[in-house]
Amino acid sequence: MSNKEHSEKVVEQFGEQFLENVEALTGISLEVKEVRLEHGRPYRFNNQMSVFIDLNGSVMGFLSIICKEDSAASLLEIPQDEVGLETREEYGPFMSELLNVVGGSLLEIVNEEYPLVTLTSPRTSFGSLDFPQSQSCSKIFTTDHGEFELYFATDSMSLKVVELLEKVKSQKEAIQLILDTIPSALLTFDLNCTLGEQCSRRGEYFFGDDVGGKDASEVLFNTERDSDDFKAFMNLIPNSPLPFEEITPLAPSRSTIYKGKERLELQYAYSAIYSDEERTIVDRVMLIADDITDKIRLQEEAREREERAEFVHKVLKNRDGYIDFLSEALSCLKVIKKASESFDAESVPAAFRASHTIKGNSSLFGITDLRDVANDLENVLTDIRDGRMQIDEVSIQKVIKGYHALEVVLNKHISESENVFGDIFDPRKLSDERYTIHESELKKLITLSDNPTLLSELERIRLKRIYIYLAPFSDMVRNISLKLGKNIAPLKIEGEDSLIDPKRWKSFFASFVHLIRNCADHGIEFPDERLEAKKPETAIISIKVEECSTGVIIYVKDDGRGIDCDVIAKLALSKKIVTQEELTAMSPKEKQLLIFKPGFSTKDEISSLSGRGVGMDAVLHEVKALDGEIDIESVLGQGTTFIIKIPYLNELDDDVLEDSGDKRMFLRMNSPLYLPTSGDDGVVLGHIVNVSPDGFRIVFKSSSDIAFDESDIIVYIEGLRQGPEYIHMRAKKMNSILLDNGILECGYIIVSFRSSADQICYEDYLRQLHT
Amino acid sequence: MSESKRTIEVLICDDSPISRSLASTVISKLPIPVGINTAGNGKEAYSYLIENKGECDILLLDINMPEMDGIELLREMKKEDTPLPYTIVMSADNVKRTVVDALSLGAKDFLNKPYTKTTLQEKIESAIKSLDSA
């Protein structure tokens, strides 16, 4: 039935009722001569009586009886031009009857100017309404006594509701279809938590297909606690001092349910279905359940990643603090263990303090699981300490359980730290080796977090003070001097704060032993010799480290006898390392350098330090491995200085440096690398120091502290046959070393191109160079 | 309407002195005459309510308190059948259940901590409105 038809029907019914009423009241029989149908709203307020009516609880209507002639008006007993009618009696008997027909009572005069009245139906009060966009319908009844117009209007909103209700009735299947396709589960239950039969397909998937009649608190929730909370909430509804909408935030909004092995995280929203009789009384509750498993999982992962990154960051920043924390935690654990065994007045408060310490420190480092177990234990211990909990079997078990949980989590962290950082962070195995880091493991973590600050932090931590490697030689010098009866001052080390990459330098320092021994053993004279030579009795060996723009220079100096090149030459000849001819052609310097030749063993020569059998060739080998060079400055009788130069370049990965001496360096050395910026010039990132033979790796020295993983750069190339004078490249990977002063010293770029045109240019350029 | 002209007696029950003074400051700024009393835990509030039977109009009640917490106080009042003032319970957001319990025990409204000045004022205003219409 359309809106219009609906309105017409109302008018029809009321018209007939009206005529009957007039006859009953006045004895005048009105015979309908003509019925005209007119649409549109007649704004005639004289001789008009209006009532608001309620059709079916949801549609509000407005019915007017308009007397088109005075004679007709007299039938209604509406006083002409009279205003201010306040009671139903004043409307005369007809009005009273009409009110009876409608079934309401007079509520208020809407408008004093016009005798419009608002009526209440038993159900609702309508208030004052205007119907600017109303659906309306009017019929004119012509009788012997004149014309009456019956006018009916409803507001469109109400009619839409009717329309929808009708649709719901006629299209129940369609609605079910809609319900089944929406991603949320819909179900309803009454205040006793009994579920209704109706359930969307999604709901069937979540909760099974036969939920009707079951207890919602059991179907919707997995834990007793949630079920109880839900029941308490449902019990509150009928007695709630607040409207339903305001207490819904108090209902359990999350639930984890299991479908077989699958874990589903659901989010619940509740809305009220009100009683038909009393619009403020909640009759049933509708539940809208959404699957938020993926969202939760992502959130959890993100949180874990964040915590992990934060943890690494904190540990890197405060390495010693972290070691202390773990040692302290281990000793706290012992205290707790003692308490769990003895349970006396002393050990319980001590254990409380211990778990409190672990809790505080672990939250400082963001180790949440440790913090949580420590917190749980602390709560139990507090209750015992303050006498809220008796010391009995139950509480003892609780403490023991808490202790074991703590032990498990702490050990997990220690072994994890070991995996990541090596033994260094295991306080049980603290040793000199504490400066090795399991870099690959760390990198795995770092890439997870993708945190640039962390990356540079990592680079920093990778580098170690050279002092760490030099310090042990101090002991060695002392030992040698004692053993040989020489008088050598404590080893002097200068420039010990220079940073080096331990991974790369490790074997170098293994060979460095020979160099120092050589000094103490060969270089330094015995005390009587020194006195004879009018030198101070105490000899000095010193190590000085210097950094320059290209690398590190290490000076190892002694004030001993110096290298006698003739002795060296004789020895080399006897060992058949050189021929007499070769010797003749050698300069004194070249003769000195013979000590680095393989086979020029010190073994035969020095007997007092037996069993060494090592040579300086090992030192040379290691220096060469670092692409460095070694030189000797020696003055007979005054001393010797070994000068070892190790370039920075060598601190980069091996593969970059292969064939670094190759002549096919086609990019001009010292060409600047630019980071493009919005301006014309760009930022100078650094200067090229080396290019790999294939032309696709460029090593550069940075002149700024820019650190990045991947970025566009501009490389200026001289001698391009075509195209622009520079090429846009994409720097894929840059390994850089951040020095202590915060400057990014070196990096390399794996060349790739932003456009194929650039690539063609570059390849053409390579061909040009190779031919 | 003359009802609202009289002084509204409010009892703020919270173990944290900062929370108490915060709430009193906010409430005293309302454009109506208010008398404010405070209690540091449920026990104090209980003795105050017994001593001043019927005097207190609004009780702003924290749930987590030492000695006697908010729920225990409500339970006690119910057991003794002492008329409860219009009670607004305050709690941290994660303890829905206790709020449900409080409302079931006769509290009229709740307020999640931390609250804003406006929320508290609105709650107090609607409490006064509800007291006037009663």
Side-chain angles (χ1 to χ4, degrees), chain A residues 330-552:
Chain A
L330 281 172
S331 51
C332 285
L333 199 64
K334 275 186 202 138
V335 172
I336 296 165
K337 189 172 187 219
K338 197 171 156 240
S340 73
E341 285 160 0
S342 64
F343 262 95
D344 51 41
E346 248 175 64
S347 65
V348 170
F352 164 77
R353 285 193 300 274
S355 48
H356 187 76
T357 304
I358 295 180
K359 183 180 89 171
N361 288 342
S362 47
S363 47
L364 203 67
F365 281 99
I367 309 169
T368 48
D369 52 353
L370 190 60
R371 181 198 61 200
D372 293 346
V373 288
N375 186 46
D376 290 348
L377 182 59
E378 190 189 321
N379 287 342
V380 175
L381 290 166
T382 317
D383 285 351
I384 294 173
R385 187 194 61 176
D386 299 347
R388 273 195 297 276
M389 199 188 270
Q390 297 285 317
I391 298 184
D392 55 14
E393 199 47 45
V394 179
S395 58
I396 290 173
Q397 279 308 317
K398 271 189 176 169
V399 173
I400 292 173
K401 218 174 131 192
Y403 161 72
H404 283 303
L406 205 59
E407 191 183 29
V408 167
V409 177
L410 184 60
N411 280 331
K412 186 192 91 186
H413 280 288
I414 289 177
S415 61
E416 262 181 21
S417 307
E418 251 182 313
N419 286 340
V420 176
F421 304 111
D423 289 347
I424 52 157
F425 287 130
D426 185 347
R428 293 172 302 201
K429 296 186 197 161
L430 279 184
S431 68
D432 292 341
E433 283 295 304
R434 61 191 272 178
Y435 290 99
T436 5
I437 282 191
H438 292 197
E439 209 182 324
S440 56
E441 287 292 328
L442 239 180
K443 275 250 167 71
K444 250 188 258 167
L445 276 180
I446 304 288
T447 41
L448 263 183
S449 66
D450 229 359
N451 183 332
T453 348
L454 266 183
L455 268 176
S456 57
E457 199 108 25
L458 170 64
E459 296 296 349
R460 278 178 82 97
I461 201 135
R462 205 169 68 119
L463 301 182
K464 300 295 168 215
R465 284 172 71 220
I466 202 164
Y467 178 76
I468 294 152
Y469 297 92
L470 295 177
F473 296 119
S474 199
D475 284 348
M476 205 185 87
V477 167
R478 202 177 58 239
N479 288 340
I480 292 175
S481 65
L482 283 175
K483 213 167 204 167
L484 297 178
K486 287 183 178 178
N487 195 345
I488 307 172
L491 183 67
K492 209 172 123 196
I493 301 170
E494 267 182 81
E496 68 268 29
D497 287 335
S498 291
L499 294 174
I500 52 159
D501 180 352
K503 206 166 103 192
R504 181 151 298 278
W505 284 66
K506 202 176 172 184
S507 54
F508 169 80
F509 281 110
S511 77
F512 202 69
V513 172
H514 310 312
L515 189 65
I516 300 294
R517 270 190 184 146
N518 198 66
C519 292
D521 219 347
H522 300 243
I524 303 299
E525 312 92 331
F526 287 96
D528 49 341
E529 274 179 75
R530 287 183 67 90
L531 287 172
E532 223 170 274
K534 300 209 163 42
K535 289 163 88 169
E537 196 187 333
T538 307
I540 295 168
I541 298 177
S542 65
I543 299 172
K544 190 170 134 195
V545 183
E546 261 181 22
E547 282 184 74
C548 67
S549 57
T550 51
V552 176

Side-chain angles (χ1 to χ4, degrees), chain A residues 204-220:
Chain A
E204 287 171 7
Y205 171 73
F206 290 159
F207 308 113
D209 51 9
D210 51 351
V211 292
K214 283 189 182 165
D215 188 335
S217 67
E218 281 165 20
V219 173
L220 302 179

